[in-house]
Amino acid sequence: MGGLDCSVAVALLGALVLGAARGAGAVEITVPRDSDITILVKQGAPSLRPCHLFTAKRHVTMLTVKPGERTSFSFTCQDPEKHFVLEIQKNIDCTASPCPLGEVPLQPPAAALPALNRTFVWDVRTRKSTGLELRFSGPRLRQVGPGDSCPDGVTYTISSRVDAAVVKIGTFCGKGTVSRIKLQEGLKVALHLPWFQARNESGFSITNHTAIKRLCIVESVFEDEGSATLLSANYPAGFPEDELMTWQFMVPAHLRASVSFLDFSTSNCERKEERVEYHIPGSATNPEVFRLDDPQPGNMAGNFNLSLQGCDQDPQSPGALRLRFQVLVQHPQTESNKTYVVDLSQERTLSLSIEPRPKPSPRFKAGCFVCLESRTCSPKVTLAPGSKYKVSFLCDDLTRLWAIAEKTLSCSDHRYCQRKAFPLQVPDDVLQLPVQLRDFSWKLLVPRDRLSLVLTPARKLQQHTHERPCNASFSYVVASAAPDLYFGSFCTGGSIKQVLLRQNSSVTLRTYAPGFHSEVPGQGLTVSFVPYFKEEAIFTVTPDTKSKLYLRTPNWDRGLPALSSVSWNITVPSGQEACLTFSKERTGVVCQSGRAFMIIQEQRTQMEEIFSLEDDTLPKPSFHRHSFWVNISNCSPTSGKQLDLLFWVTLTPRTLDVTVITAVVGGGVSLLFALGLIICCVKKKKKVNKGPAVGIYNGNINTQMPLQPKKFQKGRKDNDSHVYAVIEDTMVYGHLLQGSGGSFLQPEVDAYRPFQGAMGDRPPSPPPTCSRVPTAKLAEEKPPPCTSLEPETEPYTFSHPSQAAGSNRATHVPLLDPQEPGLPAE
């Protein structure tokens, strides 16, 4: 190029005299008049320690040596390579005459230059119709993005021209796949060498080429398995308007290539449309045209071309077209010959994504691609509802992929949905895929304040806790659509029979092991729509007699949401006794407003105990022989003081006290004996006295108080004041046993009858959040853990009865004094 042959290079090298004495003497540079070379010495990266450049006894920041000039300079420091850089520019004008061809030498060689970081720049100008080709004779190049560096510090920056504008094709390091770059209308190559690199060749040659009628063509050659990442011109800035750029890939016939877009953006087009085009040998539809957001082709055998086409942009808001993509070349996989049909044509809300697991590997690894119709392949594919798909995989290890599905189940008409049940089942087309189903989520939507949700499992569920973790191959993750309300993770094999949810919620089937395929079909949940209720959630639970039942409040890690309420309906089987135990003595919650309460209510007797979770200690282990409610209601807690409770229930068989049984039997015998005597006496008296058969006292009795003198004229043994005239079927005080309907209530004496009525179907209503009502506490005596001291026949000791609306409370007048005992002060 203006003397790039060997003889000219030697002559130029002889004329260019450089003397170097680091930090001690002057450096002299002489540039021949006809060399078209300009040398610049200028400051590099700023440094804390100053170093100055001196020439002609004056301090300068940059020194320029032009053709025909001789200049001497020196540095004031011993390490000028940390402060200054050297740039050697050569301008070659081929607009009037053909460009010189062949290997491009370094002029001057690196050994003749001062030990500074140096950049050789070749700027070649040609006519618009002239094409040039850069061939890299050394190791092929690897393109790097902005901010990336090369391990050896040697980089090539290649640019082209579009009219008067310079367009950057890219920056390249060694050890890659790029072998040639074809350009039109001139080129510019900048070779950067670090100061310690003793390199004497440029590593590339320039040849003429016919007009390519596009911005550039980048050739990438693969000899074996590997990958290459390439970028559009001017990346990350915008691709030139209405330009065309092509990449040519040379792939051995026994390998397969797949393309995936790593990053892209589009501009605002006024005319035409931005697109990519593929020319694939053997394809009947060449070129194959794709949008940038389409899945790109994969599993391609042999060589192929990829082109990026821009558009006419809006001058007011042009936007930016850019593309960064990867080409992966690997051996064909056996799985790529199998096709799986996923039929979503009848689905309206089900979408399925197949994507790689988040496990990046620093070394090269054969890629995993999902292909549609065996040609359109991508690392991630989303199948939309309403279509039928043929899916295949180009992957050496399918465990590197998983599937994520989502389906929406909504009810817009509460009159139609109420009491209807819908199964939450994974479709067979999804289960048959050879990749792990990571998540299958159902979004459950209900009309606001009209309906709520009921989840009923095919097998009872267990709540995941640290004390009893789920070890199954899958679990159900239940959360509310409201923010910060996560009910928990549940697996099969527990005691939870039903979960009621107040509002819109999501249920996610999450898998953990490959064996879930065999377990999922026998499982499943059913969702029903029921009338609206105000509890955030209600859990219906039947504990197992063989193990502890662990339960915890929602949002375990962040605390129960403010002003929310959750209940547990705990069923106690017949013949069993439940021990309710809490994991700590106090909750630690501090309320900013409102009150936090817990209510424990017996469902048979409707008696309840209320505890302030802010002030009171949590109850000691308590025993329940009948089903009961546990309700927890939160206040608005202060920051950092959240409400979270863990409790457990254990069942033990009921036991009867032998002494009590003997006393009861003895008392029953004595009572029967006494009744027999009374009957005999009454019958005898009835035969003697023929008076009228009335059920009243003798009217001749003196009604004044006994033990006062002269009020009874006869002794008790002589008068008849202690004898009824007649006692028929009804006792004189029998009206106290008379019910509201007029029938007489017969007392049960020695027979236990199990409760046959309906259990409480609604949880206890908590007191108002601002209430300061005193709370009834359990007895202070600490019983032995989970052992009952109360025999079957002993009476219960109750707190005050609840007056919640809708409860099945007894309304008859009690036989005893109706006044409640005094409650302890708060």
Side-chain angles (χ1 to χ4, degrees):
M1 303 173 181
L4 292 182
D5 55 83
C6 293
S7 59
V8 176
V10 171
L12 177 61
L13 190 58
L16 191 60
V17 180
L18 298 171
R22 285 171 52 90
V27 178
E28 185 177 276
I29 295 179
T30 301
V31 178
R33 185 177 301 277
D34 299 328
S35 63
D36 293 328
I37 293 177
T38 301
I39 298 177
L40 303 177
V41 182
K42 53 186 179 180
Q43 289 183 335
S47 176
L48 297 177
R49 189 165 56 88
C51 184
H52 301 291
L53 171 64
F54 275 88
T55 181
K57 298 182 180 181
R58 60 189 179 91
H59 168 230
V60 295
T61 59
M62 185 177 69
L63 177 64
T64 302
V65 184
K66 298 180 180 180
E69 296 181 352
R70 175 183 295 180
T71 305
S72 296
F73 59 92
S74 61
F75 302 103
T76 62
C77 60
Q78 296 293 326
D79 52 354
E81 70 277 0
K82 296 181 179 179
H83 307 273
F84 291 91
V85 296
L86 196 68
E87 186 174 305
I88 302 96
Q89 300 177 352
K90 184 172 180 64
N91 298 318
I92 304 172
D93 189 356
C94 302
T95 56
S97 59
C99 285
L101 307 178
E103 293 288 336
V104 177
L106 290 183
Q107 298 175 346
L113 293 173
L116 301 177
N117 293 331
R118 49 203 178 275
T119 301
F120 293 86
V121 179
W122 295 269
D123 191 354
V124 183
R125 296 174 181 268
T126 64
R127 294 186 296 269
K128 285 188 176 183
S129 59
T130 302
L132 296 174
E133 180 181 293
L134 289 174
R135 289 179 178 265
F136 298 95
S137 56
R140 299 186 180 104
L141 304 184
R142 172 176 60 89
Q143 189 169 9
V144 294
D148 295 336
S149 59
C150 301
D152 59 359
V154 179
T155 62
Y156 290 91
T157 301
I158 301 171
S159 304
S160 182
R161 293 183 181 275
V162 176
D163 296 328
V166 177
V167 179
K168 181 180 177 181
I169 304 303
T171 301
F172 302 84
C173 301
K175 298 182 180 180
T177 62
V178 175
S179 60
R180 293 188 296 176
I181 299 179
K182 302 172 186 177
L183 307 104
Q184 188 166 321
E185 199 178 344
L187 60 83
K188 187 175 182 180
V189 179
L191 171 60
H192 173 78
L193 297 174
W195 66 270
F196 52 83
Q197 271 279 355
R199 180 170 176 170
N200 293 318
E201 67 278 348
S202 65
F204 68 92
S205 63
I206 299 178
T207 61
N208 281 329
H209 199 280
T210 57
I212 60 175
K213 299 181 180 180
R214 63 197 68 202
L215 176 65
C216 67
I217 300 174
V218 178
E219 182 183 81
S220 181
V221 178
F222 291 87
E223 295 179 351
D224 202 348
E225 288 188 316
S227 66
T229 300
L230 297 163
L231 302 92
S232 60
N234 271 357
Y235 187 93
F239 189 71
E241 182 178 11
D242 195 23
E243 279 293 339
L244 177 64
M245 180 177 181
T246 298
W247 292 267
Q248 293 179 336
F249 297 98
M250 314 300 289
V251 181
H254 67 283
L255 299 178
R256 299 292 182 268
S258 299
V259 176
S260 58
F261 286 180
L262 306 179
D263 174 50
F264 68 88
S265 67
T266 58
S267 56
N268 299 322
C269 298
E270 279 191 338
R271 288 185 298 274
K272 302 182 183 178
E273 184 179 8
E274 297 168 339
R275 64 190 184 276
V276 289
E277 298 178 356
Y278 291 85
H279 187 279
I280 305 171
S283 174
T285 59
N286 281 326
E288 296 188 15
V289 180
F290 294 83
R291 295 168 56 91
L292 273 71
D293 54 358
D294 289 336
Q296 302 302 310
N299 200 24
M300 294 178 287
N303 305 334
F304 69 96
N305 294 352
L306 166 61
S307 297
L308 174 65
Q309 174 66 63
C311 66
D312 292 333
Q313 299 172 351
D314 182 356
Q316 302 299 324
S317 177
L321 170 62
R322 57 174 171 261
L323 173 63
R324 182 170 66 96
F325 66 97
Q326 182 186 63
V327 176
L328 183 66
V329 175
Q330 59 189 357
H331 289 285
Q333 310 300 319
T334 55
E335 191 65 37
S336 62
N337 297 326
K338 298 180 182 178
T339 301
Y340 301 87
V341 177
V342 180
D343 188 0
L344 304 182
S345 58
Q346 302 303 315
E347 297 286 348
R348 295 184 178 180
T349 60
L350 172 60
S351 62
L352 174 69
S353 295
I354 305 173
E355 57 190 47
R357 295 170 179 261
K359 292 182 179 179
S361 177
R363 62 183 181 86
F364 168 74
K365 200 170 185 180
C368 279
F369 290 90
V370 187
C371 304
L372 302 179
E373 302 295 339
S374 75
R375 173 52 61 84
T376 304
C377 301
S378 177
K380 177 181 178 180
V381 168
T382 298
L383 309 182
S387 300
K388 188 175 183 179
Y389 300 90
K390 292 182 180 180
V391 181
S392 60
F393 297 89
L394 179 62
C395 186
D396 64 329
D397 183 8
L398 287 175
T399 61
R400 295 166 56 193
L401 296 173
W402 62 23
I404 298 175
E406 182 179 283
K407 182 175 182 177
T408 300
L409 184 61
S410 62
C411 172
S412 57
D413 186 354
H414 68 281
R415 295 168 297 181
Y416 170 78
C417 300
Q418 187 168 336
R419 302 298 181 184
K420 289 186 177 294
F422 302 90
L424 304 183
Q425 293 180 345
V426 180
D428 292 337
D429 283 1
V430 177
L431 290 175
Q432 55 119 12
L433 292 174
V435 297
Q436 179 187 350
L437 174 63
R438 171 58 175 169
D439 286 341
F440 195 108
S441 299
W442 291 271
K443 288 188 174 181
L444 310 176
L445 308 179
V446 293
R448 182 179 178 87
D449 299 338
R450 286 295 189 93
L451 293 179
S452 294
L453 299 161
V454 178
L455 299 178
T456 305
R459 292 179 57 193
K460 290 189 291 186
L461 300 177
Q462 168 199 330
Q463 186 173 13
H464 173 83
T465 63
H466 295 298
E467 293 72 18
R468 190 181 178 191
C470 286
N471 295 320
S473 62
F474 70 95
S475 65
Y476 292 102
V477 179
V478 182
S480 173
D484 298 327
L485 186 50
Y486 165 71
F487 295 111
S489 179
F490 304 87
C491 56
T492 57
S495 303
I496 300 176
K497 296 173 58 178
Q498 197 177 69
V499 181
L500 284 77
L501 306 173
R502 179 173 69 93
Q503 57 184 352
N504 296 342
S505 302
S506 67
V507 177
T508 300
L509 171 69
R510 177 162 296 169
T511 66
Y512 306 100
F516 83 96
H517 281 91
S518 60
E519 297 182 22
V520 168
Q523 313 299 328
L525 291 174
T526 300
V527 61
S528 305
F529 299 93
V530 296
Y532 176 78
F533 58 89
K534 294 184 178 181
E535 297 275 343
E536 293 293 345
I538 301 174
F539 297 87
T540 301
V541 182
T542 300
D544 188 0
T545 58
K546 299 179 181 180
S547 61
K548 285 184 180 181
L549 165 64
Y550 289 94
L551 298 167
R552 67 184 187 184
T553 51
N555 268 28
W556 177 254
D557 296 331
R558 301 183 300 275
L560 191 65
L563 304 178
S564 60
S565 179
V566 183
S567 292
W568 290 264
N569 180 1
I570 303 176
T571 301
V572 180
S574 177
Q576 298 288 324
E577 183 177 51
C579 177
L580 174 64
T581 308
F582 291 87
S583 63
K584 53 187 177 182
E585 293 185 357
R586 291 184 177 274
T587 63
V589 64
V590 177
C591 293
Q592 184 176 5
S593 62
R595 298 298 304 275
F597 284 93
M598 179 175 67
I599 302 175
I600 302 176
Q601 182 188 72
E602 290 276 357
Q603 294 186 19
R604 179 176 180 180
T605 63
Q606 299 296 322
M607 294 300 175
E608 65 184 23
E609 292 174 313
I610 306 177
F611 300 88
S612 171
L613 298 179
E614 184 181 13
D615 303 324
D616 298 344
T617 60
L618 292 174
K620 304 296 182 182
S622 57
F623 304 93
H624 304 270
R625 298 192 171 188
H626 305 288
S627 301
F628 61 98
W629 287 99
V630 175
N631 171 269
I632 297 175
S633 300
N634 197 13
C635 60
S636 292
T638 58
S639 177
K641 298 294 184 180
Q642 303 299 329
L643 175 58
D644 51 73
L645 281 178
L646 171 70
F647 58 95
W648 58 86
V649 179
T650 54
L651 294 180
T652 55
R654 294 187 193 177
T655 57
L656 299 179
D657 194 316
V658 177
T659 304
V660 175
I661 295 176
T662 305
V664 171
V665 173
V669 172
S670 302
L671 180 60
L672 291 175
F673 180 73
L675 288 176
L677 291 177
I678 292 174
I679 292 172
C680 291
C681 293
V682 170
K683 286 180 179 281
K684 181 178 178 181
K685 192 67 177 178
K686 185 176 182 180
K687 291 179 181 180
V688 175
N689 192 346
K690 300 300 182 181
V694 292
I696 60 172
Y697 283 110
N698 191 333
N700 297 324
I701 307 173
N702 190 317
T703 58
Q704 293 183 354
M705 288 198 59
L707 301 181
Q708 293 187 6
K710 298 182 182 181
K711 295 300 180 182
F712 285 93
Q713 303 301 323
K714 300 181 184 180
R716 182 171 177 81
K717 64 180 179 179
D718 299 324
N719 64 34
D720 294 330
S721 62
H722 64 290
V723 179
Y724 287 103
V726 174
I727 299 180
E728 288 289 50
D729 296 333
T730 305
M731 296 189 307
V732 174
Y733 293 101
H735 68 281
L736 297 177
L737 299 177
Q738 189 174 3
S740 59
S743 61
F744 287 93
L745 305 176
Q746 301 298 327
E748 295 179 348
V749 179
D750 59 346
Y752 171 74
R753 299 179 183 176
F755 178 67
Q756 302 295 333
M759 306 297 284
D761 58 350
R762 289 188 177 275
S765 298
T769 56
C770 59
S771 173
R772 286 285 177 179
V773 176
T775 58
K777 304 180 182 180
L778 293 173
E780 295 297 331
E781 293 78 15
K782 182 178 181 181
C786 296
T787 57
S788 175
L789 299 179
E790 182 182 18
E792 178 72 19
T793 56
E794 288 185 1
Y796 288 95
T797 302
F798 298 108
S799 301
H800 67 278
S802 173
Q803 299 298 328
S807 60
N808 300 323
R809 308 297 169 86
T811 57
H812 59 272
V813 179
L815 294 176
L816 303 179
D817 188 347
Q819 294 181 355
E820 293 184 355
L823 296 177
E826 186 176 21

